[in-house]
Amino acid sequence: MSGRPEILFPLFGDLKKLEGIGPKSTAALKSLDIEKPRDLIFTLPVSGIDRHPRETVQGAAQGEFVTVEITVETHIPARQRGRPYRINVSDAQTSFQLVFFHARGEYLSRLLPSGQKRIVSGKVEYFDGMIQMPHPDHVVPIEEANEIPRFEPVYPLTSGITQKTMQKGMRSALELMPGLDEWIDPSLKAQNDWPSWDCAVKKAHGPQDHKGLSPQDLSRTRLAYDELFAHQLTLALARRNARRKPGRSSVPTGHLSQKVLRQLPYKPTKAQNRAVGEIREDMAARTRMNRLLQGDVGSGKTLVAFLALLTAVEAGGQGVMMAPTGILAQQHLEGLRPLAEEAGVVLELLTGRDKGKERAAKLAALARGDIQILVGTHAVFQKDVVFDDLRLAIVDEQHRFGVAQRLELGAKGVAVDVLVMTATPIPRSLALAQYGDMDVSVLDEKPPGRKPVKTALISDERLDEIIDHLRKAIADGRQAYWVCPLVDESEVSDLTAAEERFKQLRASLGEEAVGLVHGQMPHADKDAAMVRFQRGETNVLVATTVIEVGVNIPNATIMVIERAETFGLAQLHQLRGRVGRGEGASTCLLMYKPPLSEGGEKRLTTLRETEDGFRISEVDLEMRGSGDLIGTAQSGLPRFRIADLESQFGLMKTAQSDARNLLESDPDLKSPRGHAAKTLLWLMEQDRAIRLISVG
Ligand code: ADP
Ligand code: MG
């Protein structure tokens, strides 16, 4: 599709053209994410002021807004600098004062001439038992009473922007609004009694009362739906494109997986069997698989992934699994290798560290089909990596990649089945927003016999006790992780904290006993430190959050997290998931710096009370709100201006099915409604969707 429809140009024009908005306001508005008239009109009032006229200020509460007709009596100019200028006035029942600081008498005599009537509107305050109205917001002659809005919208502000500027700019932005053809399904619209788009925008900015500000207001609901629908349409387009591309049918013979399953020391859980079944069915189908495997830490995703890879091999092809870091790729290799050996399948590792001849040899073997399963980092998708017959790509720990990158992967045109694995349980509503283009398998059951991790909260004033405790644990042959605080966003300061703690622990526990690993270390050093810990040569591993995801060292049974209150719930859950993986009883010590904030306390006690990742993710969503949960930039999750994922889950579901239905009946968005929907995508800046339409 060619470009932004002309009808939208005014909304994407220069903010400075709006009334009352100059270069300074334009700069200030950026901090509210407002860069175009379009952004302005999607910034809805957050509250409102009732300015219906009343008889009198008598009986008004402190801080209440009152609009009242008054007769101006006497002016009392300030007697001293810094004292206010007062004007005695009376309404139908009582007398009170208008109060002005730093006002010029001449101006006030013109605005409020003695003996005349005016309408004033402002906040009422009590001072020494007297009623006052400091700096009324509106002062108009009786015949201009209509100038005062009956119900005045109040917008979010930022420094340098006043309510007046915002309102003025908004009015002139609203004048730019085009009428647009309807993109919502007519029956859905009728059923909900939704207004048309332009009508909804205008109503949302001109609420008549407080009800008009509630998320349940019809105009607001419609605008929220527009956002969700645009987002779901993007995901549906991605799904359509993926399904359009010819897929391969990989039918498993079972001859390899049988072997592996027979030798397993345990039985797969019901959830594992179900997920494997769903994956095999997708792989056997002619359409491409685009599936998410969601499972909490320790739910046994590795086995499911391996059986999926074996399906590709059984069908005569190859599989690849990509992890976000070298450490994790290495670990996948170690987890998968014993299984591969049982199946008699060749498994190799490819990371950025492979260089020269060795790398060339691996690539050659891969191209010949001699390597059947490849595990690695992003390196596995470099241009010169060529497979003989790639049938399945598994992307592990998806939450580090996000929607945008996933769509890129699809756009590479790799004609393979895709399985994405995530260890971050996501509440249903978010799953729908983030993975609405995918089918989902959930491992909602943990392998039996897992020992709970004992979790305790400890003030950091008791650091010495914790170190004593560690000393004893080490003497018993146990191992511990020690995670250092996130000082701020920068790796550098995390690093200093980690290095200092490392020195201190070495001094008290012994030089040999303590290792250090952090994100800034050269790869080789990082690996060496991990390997020493894995082999039990070091007893304590001091780390920044690089160990967060996926690291599996069963003998490590103690997790100490410093300044735990500064971490997010999901992250704490991931970190704790590093212990409780072996035979021994495990402990997680959440160290905090008192006093705990309310939020900090809620997070830490939630963690102490449950190990259920889904439960934890729900609390997280509840506490933080959806925009924040995954980190918008990181996740590719859109920051909705109007919709609220948490309370509008139902609306999101409707948007998903509506979007999928529209594409089913009009795959190229050629019908009148399809055209309107394209305009919506432009309006909502769904650039990815727009690209998807053109490549589709
Ligand atoms: P995750 O989902 O965190 O990747 P893993 O696949 O690493 O979990 O599995 C965690 C541990 O549980 C591994 O040691 C694995 O061997 C074991 N495991 C996996 N499935 C089962 C099962 N069905 N019964 C018992 N143990 C299992
Ligand atoms: Mg894993």
Side-chain angles (χ1 to χ4, degrees):
M1 118 184 220
S2 39
R4 180 180 300 136
E6 232 167 276
I7 193 164
L8 295 179
F9 285 3
L11 292 181
F12 284 78
D14 194 347
L15 263 190
K16 289 195 283 293
K17 289 203 183 128
L18 300 180
E19 214 176 308
I21 310 252
K24 273 207 188 117
S25 315
T26 302
L29 284 170
K30 268 215 174 110
S31 65
L32 291 174
D33 272 332
I34 297 173
E35 304 189 6
K36 311 174 279 305
R38 171 219 172 267
D39 306 334
L40 203 56
I41 67 167
F42 286 131
T43 305
L44 298 187
V46 285
S47 60
I49 300 171
D50 189 341
R51 295 197 193 272
H52 282 85
R54 301 192 197 177
E55 281 261 288
T56 176
V57 295
Q58 187 89 46
Q62 163 82 15
E64 197 175 336
F65 285 91
V66 174
T67 304
V68 68
E69 182 184 316
I70 49 119
T71 307
V72 182
E73 293 170 354
T74 43
H75 281 237
I76 313 168
R79 299 223 175 79
Q80 270 168 274
R81 271 181 84 81
R83 309 288 302 166
Y85 189 111
R86 297 160 187 280
I87 303 176
N88 288 326
V89 301
S90 60
D91 65 21
Q93 290 183 21
T94 189
S95 307
F96 63 101
Q97 282 188 334
L98 306 180
V99 177
F100 297 86
F101 288 86
H102 312 295
R104 289 203 328 264
E106 189 199 339
Y107 165 74
L108 289 177
S109 322
R110 253 188 293 119
L111 187 69
L112 291 150
S114 293
Q116 297 213 10
K117 287 184 188 302
R118 288 287 183 274
I119 310 246
V120 296
S121 181
K123 207 187 257 186
V124 163
E125 285 177 4
Y126 286 83
F127 189 74
D128 273 350
M130 289 261 301
I131 301 181
Q132 297 188 340
M133 185 183 287
H135 295 270
D137 305 318
H138 300 271
V139 178
V140 298
I142 309 292
E143 56 284 7
E144 286 169 29
N146 284 337
E147 297 281 294
I148 302 178
R150 294 295 150 110
F151 190 81
E152 187 176 312
V154 173
Y155 290 99
L157 297 180
T158 183
S159 93
I161 300 289
T162 63
Q163 204 52 246
K164 284 237 159 73
T165 312
M166 200 71 173
Q167 289 173 354
K168 209 179 214 180
M170 199 64 80
R171 266 196 301 275
S172 91
L174 288 173
E175 276 164 23
L176 302 176
M177 293 249 310
L180 298 174
D181 291 338
E182 187 54 76
W183 47 77
I184 296 182
D185 173 52
S187 64
L188 182 67
K189 188 178 163 203
Q191 190 190 320
N192 285 289
D193 209 8
W194 282 334
S196 67
W197 177 73
D198 54 332
C199 193
V201 172
K202 285 180 184 148
K203 280 195 176 152
H205 285 285
Q208 296 301 303
D209 49 30
H210 288 285
K211 271 205 304 259
L213 296 162
S214 120
Q216 276 86 46
D217 172 73
L218 290 182
S219 299
R220 286 197 176 224
T221 316
R222 191 234 140 99
L223 297 177
Y225 185 78
D226 288 343
E227 278 188 309
L228 299 175
F229 182 58
H231 176 61
Q232 285 298 335
L233 196 54
T234 304
L235 295 174
L237 280 162
R239 184 179 141 95
R240 176 208 68 179
N241 280 11
R243 290 176 158 246
R244 257 187 191 177
K245 301 213 178 99
R248 310 271 307 273
S249 161
S250 298
V251 180
T253 61
H255 70 281
L256 297 173
S257 57
Q258 295 294 335
K259 263 202 255 179
V260 173
L261 289 171
R262 238 181 283 125
Q263 319 243 9
L264 271 188
Y266 52 77
K267 278 226 299 277
T269 62
K270 272 206 212 86
Q272 283 172 320
N273 280 330
R274 189 178 353 106
V276 170
E278 287 163 350
I279 291 166
R280 283 191 177 143
E281 201 171 303
D282 281 1
M283 290 181 71
R286 266 186 198 291
T287 44
R288 279 201 211 173
M289 173 166 76
N290 188 23
R291 184 170 284 277
L292 172 73
L293 176 62
Q294 221 196 116
D296 205 350
V297 272
S299 57
K301 290 184 292 298
T302 312
L303 178 68
V304 175
F306 186 69
L307 291 173
L309 291 164
L310 272 195
T311 299
V313 178
E314 284 179 352
Q318 294 164 299
V320 61
M321 176 142 142
M322 176 171 78
T325 67
I327 293 178
L328 291 175
Q330 177 70 35
Q331 213 167 270
H332 278 313
L333 180 81
E334 281 154 22
L336 295 174
R337 188 157 260 164
L339 297 169
E341 272 164 13
E342 263 152 31
V345 164
V346 181
L347 179 82
E348 263 300 347
L349 179 71
L350 186 74
T351 69
R353 282 166 250 174
D354 285 286
K355 301 250 150 63
K357 265 195 221 145
E358 253 176 78
R359 179 168 190 274
K362 276 187 193 173
L363 294 192
L366 201 62
R368 283 195 306 272
D370 290 351
I371 296 173
Q372 288 151 307
I373 298 177
L374 185 68
V375 177
T377 54
H378 289 89
V380 300
F381 285 118
Q382 276 161 10
K383 266 213 198 83
D384 59 341
V385 178
V386 179
F387 292 81
D388 172 44
D389 180 15
L390 182 64
R391 285 166 180 260
L392 172 68
I394 301 183
V395 181
D396 185 22
E397 312 299 5
Q398 162 67 24
H399 63 289
R400 296 237 172 154
F401 295 107
V403 180
Q405 284 121 313
R406 190 172 72 243
L407 297 184
E408 293 302 322
L409 189 76
K412 268 200 160 147
V414 194
V416 295
D417 288 324
V418 174
L419 179 67
V420 169
M421 300 205 298
T422 172
T424 313
I426 315 167
R428 283 188 319 155
S429 51
L430 280 190
L432 206 55
Q434 203 179 15
Y435 300 110
D437 59 327
M438 310 187 86
D439 301 303
V440 180
S441 297
V442 183
L443 296 182
D444 50 6
E445 172 189 14
K446 290 209 177 165
R450 197 145 298 215
K451 296 210 178 91
V453 178
K454 194 170 165 271
T455 301
L457 276 51
I458 300 186
S459 153
D460 64 2
E461 288 150 6
R462 294 166 62 190
L463 179 66
D464 292 342
E465 274 172 65
I466 296 173
I467 295 178
D468 281 343
H469 175 82
L470 270 190
R471 193 175 293 116
K472 289 193 199 100
I474 291 174
D476 290 343
R478 298 171 68 187
Q479 286 181 284
Y481 296 100
W482 188 296
V483 178
C484 287
L486 284 169
V487 179
D488 57 37
E489 297 288 292
S490 87
E491 270 271 353
V492 183
S493 35
D494 291 355
L495 193 58
T496 338
E499 272 169 347
E500 251 157 51
R501 186 61 75 219
F502 171 60
K503 277 190 211 140
Q504 186 196 3
L505 290 176
R506 286 185 91 163
S508 37
L509 299 173
E511 296 277 305
E512 296 302 306
V514 187
L516 172 68
V517 52
H518 59 73
Q520 306 278 292
M521 267 164 110
H523 286 309
D525 295 1
K526 204 166 16 180
D527 284 1
M530 290 303 293
V531 167
R532 278 203 305 279
F533 186 62
Q534 202 154 23
R535 289 196 188 132
E537 292 165 17
T538 47
N539 306 89
V540 177
L541 186 65
V542 177
T544 55
T545 48
V546 289
I547 60 156
E548 181 187 341
V549 185
V551 171
N552 186 22
I553 299 173
N555 194 48
T557 53
I558 301 171
M559 169 64 64
V560 182
I561 305 174
E562 266 192 71
R563 295 297 307 271
E565 77 277 14
T566 63
F567 291 86
L569 255 180
Q571 208 172 14
L572 290 169
H573 176 63
Q574 282 295 323
L575 286 168
R576 180 173 56 183
R578 299 307 107 213
V579 296
R581 310 192 134 232
E583 298 294 303
S586 293
T587 324
C588 175
L589 300 179
L590 302 173
M591 287 174 71
Y592 65 90
K593 188 182 169 78
L596 273 178
S597 69
E598 201 181 313
E601 181 164 347
K602 174 106 192 266
R603 285 200 298 277
L604 299 191
T605 50
T606 299
L607 214 66
R608 185 176 59 197
E609 275 149 28
T610 181
E611 280 189 70
D612 177 346
F614 283 95
R615 167 89 193 99
I616 289 171
S617 75
E618 298 282 354
V619 175
D620 204 13
L621 177 62
E622 206 180 287
M623 288 183 67
R624 293 211 276 158
S626 53
D628 220 32
L629 191 52
I630 317 193
T632 322
Q634 216 189 97
S635 66
L637 196 69
R639 190 180 279 285
F640 297 118
R641 282 178 194 261
I642 300 169
D644 174 41
L645 281 188
E646 211 179 327
S647 63
Q648 293 179 315
F649 174 67
L651 216 50
M652 177 71 103
K653 256 197 111 46
T654 309
Q656 184 185 52
S657 55
D658 195 15
R660 287 187 180 183
N661 288 341
L662 173 61
L663 283 185
E664 225 142 80
S665 63
D666 180 15
D668 296 299
L669 298 178
K670 290 237 152 68
S671 67
R673 193 183 155 211
H675 267 288
K678 274 193 216 173
T679 306
L680 172 71
L681 292 173
W682 281 104
L683 179 65
M684 294 300 178
E685 306 188 288
Q686 296 286 307
D687 296 2
R688 273 185 283 120
I690 290 155
R691 261 185 286 133
L692 286 167
I693 295 174
S694 48
V695 301

